[in-house]
Amino acid sequence: MNSQTIPNLLSKRVSLTPHRSAIQFENRTYTFQEIYDLSFQMAGHLQGLGVRKGSYVSVLLKNHIDTVVVLLSLQLLGGIAVILNNRLTAEELVFQIDDSKSMLLITEDSFLEKVEELNALVPIVSKESIRESPYDMPLLVKEIALDDVCTVMYTSGTTGNPKGVLQTYGNHWWSATGSALNLGILEEDCWLCVVPMFHISGYSILMKSIIYGMRMILQQSFDASETIKVIKEEKVTIMSVVTTMLSRVIEELGEDRLSPAFRCMLSGGGPVPLPLLEKCVEKNVPVYQTYGMTETSSQIVTLSPEYSIKKLGSAGKPLFPSQLKIVDTLGNEAGSLESGEIVVKGPNVTPGYLNRDEVMSDGWLNTGDIGYVDEDGFLYVQDRRSDLIISGGENIYPAEIEGVLTSHPDILDAGVIGVEHNEWGQVPAAFVVSKESLLEKEISEFCAKKLAKYKLPKKFYFIEEIPRNASRKLLRRELRKMYEELR
Amino acid sequence: MNSQTIPNLLSKRVSLTPHRSAIQFENRTYTFQEIYDLSFQMAGHLQGLGVRKGSYVSVLLKNHIDTVVVLLSLQLLGGIAVILNNRLTAEELVFQIDDSKSMLLITEDSFLEKVEELNALVPIVSKESIRESPYDMPLLVKEIALDDVCTVMYTSGTTGNPKGVLQTYGNHWWSATGSALNLGILEEDCWLCVVPMFHISGYSILMKSIIYGMRMILQQSFDASETIKVIKEEKVTIMSVVTTMLSRVIEELGEDRLSPAFRCMLSGGGPVPLPLLEKCVEKNVPVYQTYGMTETSSQIVTLSPEYSIKKLGSAGKPLFPSQLKIVDTLGNEAGSLESGEIVVKGPNVTPGYLNRDEVMSDGWLNTGDIGYVDEDGFLYVQDRRSDLIISGGENIYPAEIEGVLTSHPDILDAGVIGVEHNEWGQVPAAFVVSKESLLEKEISEFCAKKLAKYKLPKKFYFIEEIPRNASRKLLRRELRKMYEELR
């Protein structure tokens, strides 16, 4: 049978509630009608630049009202947004633009230097000059199929190159409605978005704004005192955070309190430590801990505040439309309290990766993360993929850094682990076997060309041999032991 | 591709919020855990009686906690509930049970006399004796496909026999979430259900209770003063009504007022007249007018209270996932303010009828109703199918009554129209051409055997000839003229 269809999201929203406040950015509030009009205008220029239904268009933009307009204009045309992490290096950008066969890169003047060398690869237009390009009366997509791909976001797998996660309109829709069934939908809701829109955490807030008809406040970057001020003055009710942000807000809050209307800190990207949680309870800041990833189009498992102390460390239960199981190494479903790989399923789960034919078994996605479910059905994540490093909410895959390190002509072998860091939670540390005596500075500069800044190892250790098992698999546990001895 | 799957609704709800209040009936409140336990128990007995995934099971029950349990236990087993209108005659029941090839009829002792003669057709079990039947450890359906049929409800078409409307799990899901995006979901929500659960209006409240995790108060029948009392004392926030009920509540309310927490009278089954709407505004009772039918799994178009006076008489705009167009007699889309047939589409729209292969064009359902859309996109329904009679919220199809009348050996021809009635809005009036002089009482008794009471013509007119056009099509407009002269 054909995929289910629903109306184009923005067109439908504007037909229902044109005059409601949609997006607030830098002291200006745009209604859904205004957002629609701007997006319609933008769609005309993008069509003039050749964008059609099904075109892949790379987007490299900071959080800004223009970014909202670009992303929604692509939806109006049925174009697929390949949303690029702002912090990637030129080399990393090349891979993702090339892999997605993007026909256009939309960026902004502040990135022009960074993208200069991509000129040969893809036509580039900056948002500042886009309105100078020819205008075509845009052919809007009236109906979308839930199976149609809406966005692509790259994540690095455990091995090799980053993979483009396909996120369909259905994925975003079910994510938004699944979350609504958990948190409710209040008329006065207003969601503060300081997380990047190039991450699913930010993009999913935009989708909720359109689907719920909800006000969203967009900010370019996070600042704890500004956050507290905005929550109070603008009557924010929900905010998406990573632990680092939550911790700074709580610290900055001091003896002050958020407004009573504020109802949810939706926290992703790793568990919230107990002392921080206790401070949140003390200061009456309700925290919903979540577990999710790009592949699940944001949260798939969420813990409500009433359980945050009783079920300390748990990520909660899968949202209504989603399912979860723990699978042991033999592929059998584990009993309660037994550890195994976390496997998830649901209409918010990606159908797969761009240009890869990894097949999911009956819709179940192997996350690679390790955890268990307690006797009441609450999930405890023990290890975000045995090797994943989470630094200030960004996922870092050691394999990617190891690949860069070993591409250096004088490095024979390398291993990377995450080590604790006061500010960022974790940072990468690298163990290197070098051919001749290499300077740390040399390696550092080499990596800086190929890796986004947050991925750069903060410490280097030169050793004789990387610990590997008989089948040459890296023994990261041994590296951790070494680190404990060496530091 | 395969249909999307989600977890079994009741199992999922009980895993998320076992201790929340689910259903309140006759001064007792059942939690989701209790509802689950009762349904699990019931599922074991139904399985003992042979019910399996995909079995069609007819259900003839009044609003009652047991009805909730029977309907949900069928969902647990994956059985398909053929939900029978309590007011049908034995003959009408025979048709629906036979047409659906039901393998079992679940009813209650109070209906045993009525269903006595169905014994040869289908095994019958009354809810009072069901627990005496053998118990089998029930095999629960863990996952449901959105395309799986959940319920069948019969509606009479414009011609001939009633048709079984297939309602999938997806239809119910999208109806519930589409409504949530319009009305919001509040933690304190509580929906009062006095409309029958054998109608989509009642069944859809049960689905919302399970999907939202919301308290629902179930009552066997409507009483205006009881309604007012319950709304106040039990903190009801939403209630589904038909115009007759709304009118009685407003009358009964007098100088009294509903509680401030009460936020929505969801009114279906025909437009609310202006004087009544004005009284509602005066008494601070917010009315959401809707347009919907069994085929759309309840409301598909809804008008919010802020427009109820400004857009008086309008049914509103289609819910977020749904679409609407007006089509003229040539099949072209009509412009704004032009009348034509109302055609709807959406994931809440039935995939079709049982045992019929009427094909929908690209998912669009021809409602047969006539209306137009104004320049702001608001729907005005002008005629509920040119011939449909709505009496106290029940749909009556003249063709069905005409079929019964002309089956009488002494009736040569017959025509039925709806005429105004103070209490019920409309009632059927019949025009009859008889072979010899027949008594009204005779015809009345004849009909009473074959038609539910609410369908019985309240007036009979004996005439010489039924007005028909050249192709023998009944000219109902002429009958209306005759009625105006004769009454």
Side-chain angles (χ1 to χ4, degrees):
Chain A
M1 59 159 286
N2 291 327
S3 168
Q4 196 59 260
T5 57
I6 58 173
N8 181 291
L9 302 180
L10 179 61
S11 305
K12 180 68 183 198
R13 173 49 60 198
V14 79
S15 84
L16 288 175
T17 58
H19 308 306
R20 259 195 219 170
S21 299
I23 320 275
Q24 207 168 321
F25 180 75
E26 287 184 350
N27 297 322
R28 198 181 146 186
T29 302
Y30 301 78
T31 63
F32 285 104
Q33 184 68 56
E34 288 170 309
I35 293 291
Y36 178 84
D37 292 345
L38 288 167
S39 303
F40 186 90
Q41 190 67 21
M42 176 67 75
H45 290 292
L46 292 181
Q47 189 172 300
L49 286 163
V51 177
R52 299 286 180 275
K53 187 170 188 319
S55 301
Y56 286 81
V57 177
S58 282
V59 175
L60 178 68
L61 293 169
K62 294 176 187 159
N63 278 12
H64 192 284
I65 188 70
D66 297 342
T67 309
V68 166
V69 168
V70 166
L71 292 171
L72 292 176
S73 66
L74 285 172
Q75 286 197 17
L76 286 180
L77 293 173
I80 298 164
V82 179
I83 311 183
L84 304 169
N85 189 317
N86 292 347
R87 303 160 87 178
L88 298 183
T89 63
E91 279 205 30
E92 290 171 312
L93 292 173
V94 165
F95 177 84
Q96 299 186 12
I97 293 167
D98 190 43
D99 184 63
S100 62
K101 299 183 184 63
S102 289
M103 49 78 70
L104 181 68
L105 167 63
I106 305 173
T107 186
E108 55 186 76
D109 286 351
S110 68
F111 289 140
L112 281 184
E113 201 177 327
K114 189 188 220 174
V115 302
E116 213 170 30
E117 58 191 275
L118 306 178
N119 251 321
L121 184 69
V122 66
I124 298 175
V125 64
S126 81
K127 70 175 195 184
E128 288 84 358
S129 62
I130 213 161
R131 284 182 186 82
E132 293 155 24
S133 59
Y135 181 89
D136 222 14
M137 192 61 193
L139 297 165
L140 303 194
V141 171
K142 281 190 182 178
E143 251 183 18
I144 51 175
L146 293 177
D147 286 346
D148 284 348
V149 176
C150 173
T151 46
V152 176
M153 295 183 191
Y154 278 81
T155 64
S156 304
T158 43
T159 51
N161 287 319
K163 297 186 283 185
V165 178
L166 303 172
Q167 294 161 335
T168 64
Y169 283 96
N171 291 155
H172 291 303
W173 175 276
W174 284 88
S175 168
T177 48
S179 175
L181 292 174
N182 185 40
L183 297 178
I185 307 179
L186 275 57
E187 212 180 323
E188 61 271 23
D189 269 341
C190 170
W191 205 303
L192 176 57
C193 177
V194 299
V195 288
M197 292 190 59
F198 59 73
H199 272 178
I200 185 60
S201 55
Y203 192 88
S204 66
I205 301 173
L206 175 61
M207 286 296 87
K208 289 185 185 105
S209 166
I210 306 297
I211 294 170
Y212 303 170
M214 175 187 69
R215 188 161 58 103
M216 155 182 173
I217 299 181
L218 181 65
Q219 296 194 327
Q220 213 150 56
S221 59
F222 170 70
D223 174 273
S225 71
E226 173 67 13
T227 291
I228 293 170
K229 185 165 163 266
V230 167
I231 288 179
K232 286 191 194 177
E233 290 180 4
E234 303 298 336
K235 298 189 174 124
V236 169
T237 58
I238 308 179
M239 179 184 185
S240 296
V241 292
V242 295
T243 304
T244 330
M245 286 162 55
L246 184 59
S247 152
R248 290 205 211 154
V249 167
I250 291 297
E251 198 178 309
E252 180 73 26
L253 199 58
E255 292 309 304
D256 200 4
R257 292 292 173 269
L258 298 178
S259 41
F262 185 81
R263 64 192 192 89
C264 170
M265 284 286 185
L266 199 69
S267 130
V272 183
L274 176 61
L276 180 53
L277 265 184
E278 283 171 340
K279 276 188 208 156
C280 291
V281 172
E282 194 186 297
K283 289 174 199 278
N284 235 338
V285 175
V287 178
Y288 287 69
Q289 297 188 75
T290 69
Y291 168 71
M293 59 211 81
T294 309
E295 284 89 339
T296 60
S297 317
S298 92
Q299 42 160 345
I300 185 163
V301 180
T302 304
L303 183 72
S304 31
E306 63 261 43
Y307 291 108
S308 66
I309 296 294
K310 193 178 162 202
K311 294 290 181 182
L312 177 77
S314 168
K317 292 188 175 181
L319 295 180
F320 201 112
S322 305
Q323 301 175 71
L324 157 72
K325 62 185 182 189
I326 304 293
V327 170
D328 67 21
T329 43
L330 298 171
N332 301 319
E333 204 169 331
S336 71
L337 300 175
E338 276 180 67
S339 286
E341 183 176 3
I342 301 169
V343 185
V344 295
K345 181 175 181 175
N348 57 326
V349 173
T350 179
Y353 301 96
L354 193 60
N355 308 324
R356 311 269 182 145
D357 39 348
E358 290 161 44
V359 176
M360 281 191 282
S361 160
D362 193 25
W364 289 94
L365 174 85
N366 287 70
T367 64
D369 296 335
I370 305 300
Y372 67 90
V373 167
D374 74 7
E375 53 287 324
D376 299 322
F378 287 83
L379 171 68
Y380 289 77
V381 182
Q382 297 171 287
D383 240 337
R384 292 286 304 226
R385 315 205 187 175
S386 50
D387 52 359
L388 179 65
I389 302 166
I390 303 181
S391 186
E394 290 279 1
N395 289 351
I396 304 174
Y397 296 85
E400 194 183 356
I401 306 176
E402 288 155 5
V404 169
L405 289 169
T406 51
S407 75
H408 188 286
D410 292 337
I411 293 180
L412 296 169
D413 200 1
V416 171
I417 57 167
V419 299
E420 274 183 41
H421 187 273
N422 275 342
E423 189 173 1
W424 303 111
Q426 282 188 302
V427 291
F431 292 79
V432 171
V433 180
S434 63
K435 219 184 269 180
E436 19 201 305
S437 87
L438 253 175
L439 290 180
E440 187 171 319
K441 191 164 163 283
E442 268 181 78
I443 313 181
S444 218
E445 281 167 7
F446 178 78
C447 288
K449 279 186 221 139
K450 296 171 179 281
L451 290 169
K453 206 174 161 197
Y454 66 91
K455 298 179 188 169
L456 295 178
K458 300 295 174 289
K459 290 203 172 169
F460 289 92
Y461 299 97
F462 293 90
I463 55 174
E464 287 295 309
E465 197 185 356
I466 298 292
R468 295 188 179 273
N469 69 8
S471 53
R472 300 285 304 147
K473 197 172 170 328
L474 179 63
L475 299 169
R476 251 178 257 281
R477 195 163 297 185
E478 295 301 316
L479 286 182
R480 277 190 207 107
K481 273 193 209 157
M482 283 186 195
Y483 173 75
E484 291 303 324
E485 286 160 19
L486 289 169
R487 70 171 186 165
Chain B
M1 61 161 286
N2 291 326
S3 169
Q4 196 59 259
T5 57
I6 57 173
N8 181 292
L9 302 179
L10 179 61
S11 305
K12 179 69 183 195
R13 173 49 60 199
V14 79
S15 84
L16 289 174
T17 58
H19 308 305
R20 260 195 219 170
S21 298
I23 319 274
Q24 205 169 322
F25 180 75
E26 287 184 350
N27 298 322
R28 196 180 148 189
T29 303
Y30 300 78
T31 63
F32 285 104
Q33 185 67 58
E34 288 170 307
I35 294 292
Y36 178 84
D37 293 344
L38 288 167
S39 303
F40 185 91
Q41 189 68 20
M42 176 67 74
H45 291 291
L46 291 182
Q47 189 173 299
L49 286 162
V51 176
R52 299 287 179 275
K53 186 172 189 318
S55 300
Y56 286 82
V57 176
S58 283
V59 174
L60 178 69
L61 292 169
K62 293 175 187 161
N63 277 12
H64 193 283
I65 190 68
D66 297 343
T67 308
V68 166
V69 169
V70 166
L71 292 172
L72 293 175
S73 66
L74 285 171
Q75 286 197 17
L76 286 180
L77 294 173
I80 298 164
V82 178
I83 311 183
L84 304 170
N85 189 316
N86 291 346
R87 303 159 88 178
L88 298 182
T89 64
E91 279 205 30
E92 290 170 312
L93 292 173
V94 166
F95 177 82
Q96 300 186 12
I97 293 167
D98 189 43
D99 184 62
S100 62
K101 299 185 186 58
S102 290
M103 48 80 70
L104 181 68
L105 167 63
I106 305 173
T107 186
E108 53 187 77
D109 285 352
S110 67
F111 289 139
L112 281 183
E113 201 176 328
K114 190 189 220 173
V115 301
E116 212 170 30
E117 58 191 275
L118 305 179
N119 250 320
L121 184 68
V122 66
I124 298 175
V125 64
S126 81
K127 69 174 196 185
E128 289 84 357
S129 62
I130 214 161
R131 284 182 185 83
E132 293 156 24
S133 58
Y135 181 88
D136 223 12
M137 192 61 192
L139 298 164
L140 302 194
V141 171
K142 280 191 182 177
E143 249 183 20
I144 51 174
L146 293 178
D147 286 348
D148 284 348
V149 176
C150 173
T151 45
V152 176
M153 295 183 190
Y154 277 82
T155 64
S156 303
T158 43
T159 51
N161 285 321
K163 297 186 284 187
V165 178
L166 302 173
Q167 295 161 334
T168 64
Y169 283 96
N171 291 154
H172 291 302
W173 175 276
W174 284 89
S175 168
T177 50
S179 175
L181 290 174
N182 185 40
L183 296 178
I185 308 179
L186 277 57
E187 211 180 325
E188 61 271 23
D189 270 341
C190 171
W191 205 304
L192 177 57
C193 177
V194 298
V195 289
M197 293 192 54
F198 58 72
H199 273 178
I200 186 59
S201 55
Y203 192 87
S204 66
I205 301 173
L206 175 62
M207 286 296 88
K208 290 185 184 105
S209 167
I210 306 297
I211 293 170
Y212 304 170
M214 175 188 69
R215 188 161 59 103
M216 156 182 172
I217 299 181
L218 180 65
Q219 297 195 325
Q220 213 150 56
S221 59
F222 170 71
D223 174 273
S225 71
E226 173 68 12
T227 290
I228 293 169
K229 184 164 163 270
V230 167
I231 287 179
K232 287 192 195 178
E233 290 180 4
E234 303 298 337
K235 300 187 174 124
V236 169
T237 59
I238 307 179
M239 179 184 184
S240 297
V241 292
V242 294
T243 302
T244 330
M245 285 160 57
L246 183 59
S247 151
R248 289 202 212 156
V249 168
I250 290 298
E251 197 178 309
E252 181 73 27
L253 198 58
E255 292 310 302
D256 200 2
R257 292 292 173 272
L258 297 179
S259 41
F262 184 81
R263 62 192 193 91
C264 169
M265 284 285 186
L266 199 69
S267 129
V272 182
L274 176 61
L276 179 53
L277 266 184
E278 283 172 340
K279 275 188 210 159
C280 291
V281 172
E282 193 186 301
K283 289 173 200 278
N284 236 337
V285 176
V287 179
Y288 287 69
Q289 297 188 75
T290 69
Y291 168 71
M293 59 210 80
T294 310
E295 284 88 339
T296 60
S297 316
S298 91
Q299 43 161 344
I300 186 163
V301 180
T302 304
L303 184 72
S304 31
E306 62 260 45
Y307 291 108
S308 67
I309 296 295
K310 193 179 162 204
K311 295 290 182 182
L312 178 78
S314 168
K317 291 186 174 182
L319 294 181
F320 201 112
S322 305
Q323 301 176 71
L324 156 73
K325 63 185 181 188
I326 304 292
V327 170
D328 67 20
T329 43
L330 298 171
N332 300 319
E333 204 169 333
S336 70
L337 300 176
E338 275 181 70
S339 286
E341 184 175 5
I342 301 169
V343 185
V344 294
K345 179 175 181 175
N348 57 326
V349 174
T350 179
Y353 301 95
L354 192 63
N355 309 323
R356 309 270 182 144
D357 40 349
E358 289 162 43
V359 177
M360 279 192 284
S361 161
D362 193 27
W364 290 94
L365 174 85
N366 287 69
T367 65
D369 296 337
I370 305 299
Y372 67 90
V373 167
D374 73 8
E375 54 286 326
D376 299 320
F378 287 83
L379 172 69
Y380 290 76
V381 182
Q382 298 171 287
D383 240 337
R384 293 288 303 225
R385 317 204 186 178
S386 49
D387 53 357
L388 178 67
I389 302 165
I390 303 181
S391 186
E394 291 278 2
N395 289 351
I396 304 173
Y397 296 86
E400 195 184 354
I401 306 176
E402 288 156 5
V404 168
L405 288 169
T406 52
S407 75
H408 188 287
D410 292 336
I411 294 180
L412 295 169
D413 199 1
V416 172
I417 56 168
V419 300
E420 273 182 42
H421 188 273
N422 274 343
E423 189 173 2
W424 302 111
Q426 283 188 302
V427 291
F431 292 80
V432 172
V433 180
S434 62
K435 218 184 268 181
E436 21 199 301
S437 84
L438 254 175
L439 291 180
E440 188 172 318
K441 189 162 163 282
E442 267 181 81
I443 312 182
S444 216
E445 282 168 7
F446 177 77
C447 289
K449 278 187 223 139
K450 293 168 181 283
L451 291 170
K453 206 174 161 198
Y454 66 93
K455 298 180 189 169
L456 295 178
K458 300 297 175 288
K459 288 201 173 170
F460 289 91
Y461 299 97
F462 293 89
I463 57 176
E464 288 296 307
E465 198 184 354
I466 298 291
R468 293 186 180 273
N469 69 8
S471 55
R472 298 287 302 148
K473 195 172 170 331
L474 179 61
L475 299 169
R476 251 178 257 280
R477 194 162 296 186
E478 296 300 315
L479 286 182
R480 278 191 205 106
K481 273 192 208 158
M482 282 187 194
Y483 173 74
E484 291 304 323
E485 287 159 17
L486 288 168
R487 72 171 185 165

